[in-house]
Amino acid sequence: MGNLIKKKRKKKIALIYGVTGQDGSYLVEFLLKKNYIVHGVKRRSSSANTDRIDHIYDSINFKNKNFFIHYGDITDSSSVFNIINNTKPNEIYNLAAQSHVRVSFEIPEYTANTTALGTLRILEALKSLNLFKTKYYQASSSEMFGKQKSNIPQNESTKFYPMSVYGVSKVFAHNTTILYREAYGIFACNGILFNHESPRRGPNFVTKKIVQGLVRIKLKKQKVLTLGNLYAIRDWGHAIDYVESMWKIMQYKKPDDWVIATNYEISVKKFINLCAKKLKINLIWKNNAEKEVGIDKDLKKTIIKIDKKYFRPGEVDYLKGDFSKARKQLKWKPKYNINSLIDEMIKSELNFHEK
Ligand code: NAP
Ligand code: GDD
């Protein structure tokens, strides 16, 4: 492996933490197309966690000679240090996190250890190894804006008011990234990304849960979809557009912090209505609050219910991003809109059931 790395030294080397996740999988594809050598870190698990990257990498056939996988964990300083020392990357993308907001209330310490301290471990490794030329990307989040009464849309100057352990942990990571930039001169950047989805989104995030649920209901493989707060508003983009912004952030002439969004927001309920319409489900709503139900008017059946267990102790009601800085300086803008995003997610779900 050492020789191989030396032989290909002229290519840029990227190291991705969180390579098995939604964004990590799209980022590998993007960087390989840009002719990078890509190292990804996967954690040990008792069942397969490489579904999203198996089409690029497999340990038996080595489909791609420029893509390497290492076992590691962002909670283990020695592994972070060793992987960075062995790969000597030009760019590190830290996408690893316990990324589920509601789950962060259930495993708060683990969330902080991964999502907050993980960032510190990588930046400390860069400092200790004197790798001051390695660029660092931090996956910051619009969840940091949290409770905003009047600051809509949110931009790089909006004050953070996190409403979850996840959000608080991301604020720590965000500020640590700025600290290492200012204190040690590391090219460390924050991409403050608003919600972004795709067919590869984890099944317990709301967009995927809705698309998966409604497609199954349409195909008569599921009877009811049970959800939480239908009135939260989000600015949803596509992960493919957003990984491109990560790379652009790292190529900019100086390290900085950037809001990445679409500037178009809808509620969870509107997202459901759009999906239902595309699937030709004649959906009507009845009752309020926890008794609210979605009914298939043609079949006269309740297909959507509310369950309190999906509500959060702290909720973020309204997120809408102002990405003017990225549009102007990075020349970045999203190619997908909410309709093309949903179309792609539905198509992929239908294809899955056709197989
Ligand atoms: P995701 O699908 O949940 O992926 C998270 C990745 O982190 C997975 O590869 C996961 O590994 C890995 N990971 C978790 N704990 C780890 C640990 N202890 N050590 C090493 N790796 C670990 O998340 P995503 O949607 O791709 O998001 C990528 C990043 O952007 C995350 O940091 C997220 O918080 C942030 N973010 C996401 C959004 C969004 O809307 N998607 C918006 C803003 C910011 P396993 O596959 O083994 O679980
Ligand atoms: N997950 C989930 N499941 N959310 C639900 C449900 C449900 O059954 N019902 C309603 N919701 C509401 C949540 O209360 C929230 O207001 C909204 O749908 C979106 O929830 P998620 O899809 O879980 O995303 P999130 O906004 O909490 O967090 C995502 O975006 C952040 C960026 O703002 C994650 O990807 C984070 O990692 C990311 O940082």
Side-chain angles (χ1 to χ4, degrees), residues 295-302:
I295 296 169
D296 183 325
K297 205 177 165 199
D298 300 334
L299 299 178
K300 297 186 182 53
K301 279 191 180 150
T302 295

Side-chain angles (χ1 to χ4, degrees), residues 1 34 47 52 84 86 111 116 121 142 149 163 178 191 199 201 248 284 300 302 304 306 327:
M1 164 96 86
K34 290 260 173 222
S47 48
R52 295 182 177 107
I84 294 177
N86 290 339
T111 300
R121 290 188 185 99
S142 52
K149 286 220 171 85
M163 287 302 291
I178 295 173
R201 186 57 142 154
K248 286 197 159 204
I284 53 160
K300 297 186 182 53
T302 295
I304 297 172
I306 306 300
R327 178 167 36 205

